[in-house]
């Protein structure tokens, strides 16, 4: 369980009577403020184990120094300081709401809830002048209008700060957002125009109830005037806090392990890593990409200059290809091995190829078949042979041939010797 402490003169609104945040006043105590604050932090740590210190962001200097002093004196990082940029009445209400939720949330989750509560509230006031308004951005025209007699201004602070001059044509400002139904409203009047708030502002907020509370002592300093009517509207739904707790994605701190959704851990002050972006959808090949939506009034993107198209170069014409048809050759499923010839066998005869007269591919003679004689047989048959004389005696082949004899073909010639 976490102790919630509000630093400053911010009395309780009394809306949540059972759970009220602890208040520590440091104004006007002089040198006694620092020791008293350290003792209060030590007591809260012994009872709860963690302390969440709230203070206004528009008056943070002294509260920040006290939180750092307590962390150093007690040698602990379980004391977290959290500045909130909301008006005094809204700050007092947020402190009581966090005390109610402290029994159901861890310290880091509670610090995240404080920022979300400030974003859902609608806090503002009716003021008679904005000449001395410092905590809400004000234009030059509104400053000049503050010196005119009569009239008033509607000032909205918090998540959507705005200054609106009340006129007969525009008696109320345009609301950017409003709390979830049912809407409850707290009103603190200090010599302001409470009738405008009840008759004009309340119907716009659709508030079901309007509760009057005592003015906050620091409201006059915040609004810069003594004539004001401060209000704060919030959701009274029983599950409003539960939805805010479940609506954030928490991550454990890498140093102290405290779950938080803030960019910096409020206890160990370690900067949290940036969250990863959601992965983009993969577009299947061949599908057109979905165009991204553009905000209204956005100018279309300028067309990018395209590089010049390449010039086509005139190439020489390719030589004419042969006109005979090419027989298709389907690829073989396996490489064809040449026939193996044994050493004791003769190589198969090859078929002679004859060139064609028309320039076509060479081909075999048309009358040649697989049983045609080989090339050696054709050459032997074509060789000229000398016919033997019909009246000559039969050929005689001696076993040995003398040196003075020579053979020509199948006939032996012997020279005649002179006697």
């Amino acid at each position: 369980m976490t102790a919630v402490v509000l630093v400053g003169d911010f009395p309780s609104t009394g809306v949540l009577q059972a759970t009220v945040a602890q208040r520590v006043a440091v104004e006007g105590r002089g040198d006694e403020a620092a020791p008293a604050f350290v003792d209060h932090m030590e007591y809260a740590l012994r009872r709860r184990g963690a302390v969440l210190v709230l203070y206004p962001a528009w008056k943070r200097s002294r509260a920040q120094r006290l939180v750092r002093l307590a962390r150093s004196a007690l040698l602990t990082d379980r004391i977290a300081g959290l500045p909130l940029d909301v008006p005094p009445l809204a700050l007092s209400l947020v402190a009581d709401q966090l005390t109610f939720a402290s029994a159901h949330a861890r310290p880091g989750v509670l610090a995240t809830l404080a920022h979300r509560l400030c974003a859902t509230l609608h806090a503002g006031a009716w003021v008679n002048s904005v000449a001395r308004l410092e905590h809400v951005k004000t234009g030059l025209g509104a400053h000049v209008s503050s010196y005119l007699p009569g009239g008033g201004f509607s000032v909205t602070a918090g998540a959507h700060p705005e200054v609106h001059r009340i006129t007969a044509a525009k008696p109320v400002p345009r609301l950017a957002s409003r709390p979830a139904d049912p809407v409850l409203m707290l009103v603190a009047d200090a010599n302001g125009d409470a009738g405008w708030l009840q008759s004009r502002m309340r119907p716009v907020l659709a508030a079901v109830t309007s509760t009057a509370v005592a003015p906050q002592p620091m409201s006059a300093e915040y609004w810069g005037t003594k004539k004001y009517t401060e209000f704060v509207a919030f959701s009274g739904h029983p599950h409003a806090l539960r939805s805010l707790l479940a609506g954030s994605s928490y991550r454990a701190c890498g140093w102290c392990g405290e779950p938080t959704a803030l960019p910096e851990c409020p206890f160990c002050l370690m900067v949290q890593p940036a969250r990863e972006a959601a992965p983009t959808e993969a577009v299947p090949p061949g599908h057109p990409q979905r165009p991204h939506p553009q905000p209204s009034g956005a100018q279309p993107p300028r067309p990018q200059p395209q590089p010049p198209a390449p010039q086509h170069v005139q190439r020489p014409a390719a030589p004419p290809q042969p006109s005979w048809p090419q027989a298709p050759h389907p690829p073989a499923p396996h490489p064809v091995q040449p026939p193996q010839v044994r050493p004791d066998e003769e190589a198969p005869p090859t078929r002679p190829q004859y060139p064609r007269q028309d320039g076509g591919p060479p081909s075999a003679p048309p009358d040649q078949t697989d049983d045609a004689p080989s090339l050696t047989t054709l050459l032997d048959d074509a060789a000229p042979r000398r016919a033997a004389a019909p009246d000559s005696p039969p050929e005689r082949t001696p076993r040995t041939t003398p040196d003075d004899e020579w053979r020509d073909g199948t006939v032996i010639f012997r020279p005649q010797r002179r006697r």
Side-chain angles (χ1 to χ4, degrees):
M1 196 169 180
T2 309
V4 180
V5 178
L6 180 58
V7 178
D9 193 3
F10 301 96
S12 176
T13 59
V15 177
L16 302 174
Q17 299 179 1
T19 55
V20 177
Q22 305 175 24
R23 266 75 173 178
V24 177
V26 296
E27 298 294 336
R29 303 190 61 176
D31 297 337
E32 299 179 358
F37 183 80
V38 174
D39 293 342
H40 192 90
M41 293 295 104
E42 184 180 6
Y43 176 75
L45 282 175
R46 285 202 309 263
R47 294 193 59 185
R48 302 297 178 87
V51 183
L52 184 62
V53 181
L54 307 179
Y55 54 87
W58 39 273
K59 198 174 184 179
R60 67 172 69 191
S61 57
R62 190 168 187 181
Q64 251 181 357
R65 290 197 303 267
L66 291 175
V67 171
R68 293 175 182 175
L69 176 63
R71 289 167 60 96
S72 302
L74 301 176
L75 299 177
T76 181
D77 59 353
R78 303 307 295 168
I79 301 176
L82 200 64
L84 300 179
D85 191 9
V86 290
L89 184 60
L91 182 59
S92 180
L93 175 65
V94 169
D96 293 340
Q97 287 180 322
L98 290 178
T99 305
F100 175 79
S102 63
H104 311 282
R106 297 188 59 178
V109 177
L110 202 64
T112 306
L113 178 63
H115 287 278
R116 299 208 65 186
L117 281 174
C118 295
T120 57
L121 296 177
H122 187 84
W126 176 97
V127 296
N128 64 335
S129 174
V130 293
R132 301 177 61 183
L133 182 63
E134 299 178 358
H135 306 298
V136 179
K137 186 177 180 180
T138 309
L140 180 60
H143 275 286
V144 174
S145 301
S146 298
Y147 295 96
L148 300 177
F153 297 86
S154 171
V155 183
T156 304
H160 305 283
E162 183 184 3
V163 176
H164 172 73
R165 178 172 173 79
I166 300 175
T167 60
K170 295 182 179 180
V172 292
R174 184 178 60 87
L175 300 182
S177 62
R178 55 182 294 272
D181 294 326
V183 179
L184 309 181
M185 189 165 62
L186 302 180
V187 180
D189 185 22
N191 301 322
D193 190 356
W196 171 85
L197 189 64
Q198 296 293 336
S199 61
R200 297 292 186 177
M201 197 64 187
R202 180 177 173 178
V204 174
L205 291 172
V208 295
T209 61
S210 177
T211 306
V213 297
Q216 295 289 324
M218 302 185 68
S219 294
E221 179 183 354
Y222 182 86
W223 300 112
T225 180
K226 294 183 179 181
K227 293 184 179 182
Y228 65 90
T229 302
E230 188 177 5
F231 68 93
V232 55
F234 61 99
S235 176
H237 198 278
H239 301 294
L241 292 179
R242 182 184 301 178
S243 61
L244 292 178
L245 286 172
S248 300
S249 57
Y250 304 95
R251 178 185 300 179
C253 177
W255 182 263
C256 64
E258 194 67 41
T260 181
L262 301 177
E264 180 179 318
C265 179
F267 289 92
C268 67
L269 307 181
M270 179 179 179
V271 178
Q272 303 301 308
R275 300 186 180 275
E276 300 179 357
T280 57
E281 296 181 357
V283 180
H287 288 253
Q289 295 185 357
R290 183 181 303 174
H292 296 281
Q294 296 184 357
S296 58
Q299 297 182 358
R302 297 181 179 179
Q304 298 295 333
Q306 300 294 336
Q311 299 181 0
H312 297 281
V313 181
Q314 187 75 19
R315 295 185 179 182
Q321 299 296 331
S323 58
W324 61 83
Q326 300 290 338
H329 298 279
H334 300 285
V336 180
Q337 299 293 337
Q340 302 294 333
V341 181
R342 298 181 181 179
D344 54 348
E345 296 181 359
E346 294 184 1
T350 58
R351 306 173 70 177
Q353 303 291 329
Y354 297 92
R356 297 174 57 177
Q357 297 298 330
D358 55 352
S363 60
D367 56 345
Q368 185 174 351
T369 59
D370 294 340
D371 299 335
S374 63
L375 180 61
T376 306
T377 307
L378 295 175
L379 293 178
D380 292 343
D381 294 343
R385 296 181 181 273
R386 180 177 301 176
D391 298 335
S392 60
E395 183 178 355
R396 184 178 57 184
T397 304
R399 294 181 178 178
T400 59
T401 304
D403 297 337
D404 54 354
E405 296 177 0
W406 53 282
R407 183 182 299 275
D408 182 14
T410 58
V411 181
I412 299 177
F413 297 91
R414 293 177 183 178
Q416 300 292 333
R417 294 182 180 181
R418 291 183 181 182
R419 294 180 180 179

